[in-house]
Amino acid sequence: MRLVITVVGKDRVGIVSDIASICKELHVNIMDITQKVFDDMFAMVMLAQMTDSSAPFETVADRLEKCGDDAGLKIHTMHEDIFNSMHRI
Amino acid sequence: MLEINDILETISMIDKQHLDIRTVTMGISLFDCVSEDTGRLCDNIYDKITRLAGNLVQTGEDISRQYGIPIIHKRVAVTPVSLVARGMSPDDMVKIAKTLDRAADSCGINFIGGYSALVHKGMTAGERSLIESIPQALTETNSVCSSVNVATTKAGINLDAVGLMGNIIKKTAYLTRNDGSIGCAKLVVFANVPEDNPFMAGAFHGVGEGDCVINVGVSGPGVVSHALKKAPNANITEIADIIKKTAFKITRMGQLVAAEASRRLDVPFGIVDLSLAPTPAIGDSVAHILEEMGLERCGTHGTTACLALLNDAVKKGGAMASSHVGGLSGAFIPVSEDAGMIDAAKCGTLTLDKLEAMTAVCSVGLDMIAVPGDTSAETISAIIADEISIGVINNKTTAVRLIPAYGKTVGDEVSFGGLLGSAPVMPVHSESSEKFILRGGRIPAPQNALRN
């Protein structure tokens, strides 16, 4: 299963590193990152792959959400299929 | 690879534009619960519902978490109770209603539909019992929803049943008078009722359905409204296209959730209902879509045309997005549940007569409309007869969910709380329709029923 992780919030040093560390810890493989900073707004979309050794989906989503809450960022972790079904025929 | 703009669009729809799955409704057949002993029938019903729907809420929440899309309601619809409790007394019927309530409670669901009777051509003793028990059943339960089908295009209109329902609605309003006559919000009178509607209060599990099925209702007036805002100078053809594309996206999500719920619960997928269902939240209103199209206020001249376009475009966009479309599938215009409708009704632009015209081109009918508490039963029946005629002649579903708010009059407001919202009491015509209703009998099926 592939995840889409989106992160939006005020820019600071180490956001990508924080998210990537959680992915590493929970054995979620990062496949692609698109990231931009507009003025001081940070926006990132990350595509990640869950593997057999990954933590359960709920754990990954909870950890990322908590990381976002602590750092004042809005983080969504969603199954890739919702975007595929909505935007592809 | 997914486009970043698409991803951000989806997230914005969910976060800012109130996009959600309105309901995942499990239909459950009660035919194998039948017993002549009321106690045993109730036990069978309770056991079957809790066995099949025990995991419904948890599964809904898991799917919601995985896809990041809110699923507002998880609900159950059962076989019309009048069909499984044939010949029982009104007191026995109330016992069954309480059993449904208890089962809903134990599954953690907020509404259970199917306390229903299909009497479009005639009424058995059991069906009469059930209808007579409705006021008490809705008063003594929290989550039970009731519906009565009084007409079909094929059978015509059962005017006796229409006359009876006026009295039942009045009695329900009286018995639940301490809660704003809320019992009436859980009671719908139908023409051409669909058997796979996932939306309350009219949901039940039809006789042609299998043992258990998953039906899904989507929502998204806020998303449509937002899409139109971005095209302020589009002509009306372009508006129709924008709505179609948006409805397609919304419905695809419904289809995804329906398929996933069906897989996880190991229950066949039934249909996706394409209805645009509003909520009282700001930015989630069907009226505001119509106003976005260029009306100063919903209810003014042009409203019916805009609504017709909206309803048609939603169906065209949604039909391709789902493998099975069913239920009500059309824009809902429940007054109390739509911030824009409430405003338009309060200032008098939106009247009962205009709402009736609007229901000729959309789903579903005169929905969640508060009328003065002293409205006579015959007047309510006549309002039902009018609305039902629109459905019968036009071969579509229509329905009436009126609240004759006890002790309230025009200018007052009734508040039901939550998604049921609040409704200004709207005026009705004071001239009597009593003689017409008291004639009774059946209005013959229209010429266009003869299609073979």
Side-chain angles (χ1 to χ4, degrees):
Chain A
M1 145 174 177
R2 298 207 296 190
L3 305 178
V4 173
I5 301 163
T6 59
V7 184
V8 179
K10 194 170 182 317
D11 191 31
R12 63 167 171 81
V13 172
I15 297 177
V16 179
S17 163
D18 287 351
I19 307 290
S21 308
I22 293 173
C23 289
K24 181 185 176 194
E25 187 192 328
L26 302 177
H27 285 252
V28 176
N29 191 28
I30 297 170
M31 303 180 70
D32 193 12
I33 296 179
T34 309
Q35 182 248 296
K36 278 201 168 61
V37 176
F38 311 93
D39 296 327
D40 62 345
M41 279 300 286
F42 173 93
M44 174 169 78
V45 175
M46 186 184 266
L47 185 67
Q49 173 88 47
M50 301 275 279
T51 63
D52 290 345
S53 60
S54 298
F57 173 83
E58 288 71 24
T59 312
V60 177
D62 286 347
R63 276 290 301 277
L64 288 168
E65 195 178 322
K66 186 169 181 313
C67 166
D69 291 345
D70 293 346
L73 298 163
K74 187 85 183 151
I75 302 185
H76 292 272
T77 310
M78 294 152 84
H79 194 297
E80 178 198 33
D81 278 357
I82 187 159
F83 304 102
N84 284 333
S85 68
M86 196 180 256
H87 298 287
R88 297 225 179 131
I89 297 175
Chain B
M1 177 61 192
L2 288 158
E3 296 281 334
I4 187 163
N5 288 343
D6 292 342
I7 291 173
L8 296 178
E9 182 192 45
T10 302
I11 289 177
S12 164
M13 283 180 179
I14 295 168
D15 266 9
K16 301 199 177 108
Q17 300 158 31
H18 305 280
L19 178 60
D20 55 48
I21 299 292
R22 182 52 47 84
T23 179
V24 172
T25 303
M26 178 182 272
I28 299 176
S29 168
L30 298 184
F31 282 124
D32 55 357
C33 300
V34 170
S35 167
E36 284 178 12
D37 178 68
T38 313
R40 179 174 291 178
L41 173 64
C42 288
D43 288 348
N44 291 348
I45 290 174
Y46 181 84
D47 290 347
K48 183 159 189 189
I49 294 171
T50 50
R51 175 166 56 84
L52 291 172
N55 281 329
L56 179 64
V57 171
Q58 186 57 47
T59 305
E61 279 165 13
D62 290 348
I63 295 172
S64 176
R65 187 90 173 101
Q66 177 161 326
Y67 292 107
I69 173 88
I71 301 176
I72 308 296
H73 299 301
K74 279 71 75 174
R75 291 167 167 173
V76 167
V78 297
T79 308
V81 165
S82 64
L83 297 178
V84 293
R86 284 190 177 275
M88 290 187 177
S89 68
D91 285 347
D92 285 337
M93 295 290 183
V94 172
K95 280 183 197 152
I96 298 171
K98 286 182 175 168
T99 304
L100 294 175
D101 205 36
R102 210 157 44 85
D105 224 30
S106 121
C107 295
I109 55 180
N110 61 352
F111 280 125
I112 183 164
Y115 198 70
S116 306
L118 310 174
V119 296
H120 37 270
K121 201 161 184 184
M123 203 181 290
T124 63
E127 282 157 350
R128 182 173 287 278
S129 268
L130 182 123
I131 291 175
E132 282 172 359
S133 75
I134 287 173
Q136 192 189 346
L138 294 182
T139 308
E140 294 180 14
T141 60
N142 290 319
S143 51
V144 173
C145 291
S146 179
S147 55
V148 177
N149 192 56
V150 296
T152 64
T153 300
K154 280 280 183 195
I157 302 172
N158 183 346
L159 197 60
D160 292 326
V162 170
L164 179 57
M165 287 315 294
N167 286 302
I168 296 295
I169 289 171
K170 282 283 284 185
K171 195 166 168 195
T172 306
Y174 177 74
L175 289 181
T176 54
R177 62 192 178 281
N178 293 333
D179 298 309
S181 299
I182 197 171
C184 298
K186 297 182 281 180
L187 172 58
V188 195
V189 184
F190 273 107
N192 292 325
V193 67
E195 300 203 327
D196 51 8
N197 159 28
F199 287 102
M200 295 298 169
F204 67 84
H205 185 71
V207 292
E209 298 281 330
D211 195 50
C212 189
V213 71
I214 288 289
N215 297 322
V216 166
V218 296
S219 174
V223 182
V224 175
S225 185
H226 182 83
L228 294 185
K229 260 198 190 81
K230 288 197 292 190
N233 299 316
N235 73 28
I236 205 73
T237 309
E238 289 162 345
I239 293 280
D241 268 345
I242 293 170
I243 296 171
K244 269 197 293 192
K245 286 177 188 157
T246 311
F248 177 82
K249 290 177 183 172
I250 295 171
T251 312
R252 286 279 281 192
M253 200 189 54
Q255 172 76 23
L256 173 73
V257 167
E260 185 65 14
S262 155
R263 190 184 65 78
R264 290 189 186 207
L265 291 161
D266 195 21
V267 168
F269 156 63
I271 56 97
V272 174
D273 189 314
L274 304 182
S275 302
L276 279 185
T279 66
I282 300 298
D284 204 19
S285 152
V286 169
H288 288 159
I289 299 176
L290 306 179
E291 290 169 6
E292 199 59 50
M293 283 190 212
L295 305 174
E296 187 181 341
R297 197 175 284 283
C298 177
T300 190
H301 305 294
T303 301
T304 311
C306 288
L307 184 58
L309 177 144
L310 170 68
N311 199 42
D312 183 63
V314 166
K315 284 181 206 164
K316 285 174 177 161
M320 186 177 151
S322 171
S323 47
H324 294 284
V325 173
L328 298 164
S329 286
F332 291 170
I333 50 170
V335 174
S336 78
E337 299 172 14
D338 186 311
M341 298 278 175
I342 294 172
D343 290 344
K346 269 186 191 160
C347 74
T349 316
L350 186 63
T351 61
L352 197 58
D353 292 340
K354 187 63 180 177
L355 278 161
E356 186 185 307
M358 289 161 72
T359 63
V361 299
C362 82
S363 154
V364 151
L366 297 173
D367 197 12
M368 291 301 286
I369 296 171
V371 295
D374 60 0
T375 308
S376 75
E378 289 75 20
T379 295
I380 291 171
S381 293
I383 294 171
I384 294 172
D386 280 345
E387 182 60 33
I388 282 342
S389 306
I390 291 175
V392 167
I393 296 292
N394 294 303
N395 229 331
K396 72 187 286 289
T397 305
T398 50
V400 175
R401 186 159 52 147
L402 281 189
I403 299 118
Y406 187 81
K408 305 264 181 175
T409 187
V410 176
D412 293 343
E413 196 166 321
V414 201
S415 181
F416 306 108
L419 287 183
L420 293 173
S422 65
V425 176
M426 295 172 80
V428 298
H429 296 291
S430 56
E431 295 80 2
S432 168
S433 320
E434 188 176 342
K435 189 171 177 196
F436 159 59
I437 293 301
L438 293 182
R439 283 179 191 274
R442 243 182 334 129
I443 298 182
Q447 180 72 29
N448 65 11
L450 306 175
R451 298 167 73 112
N452 293 337

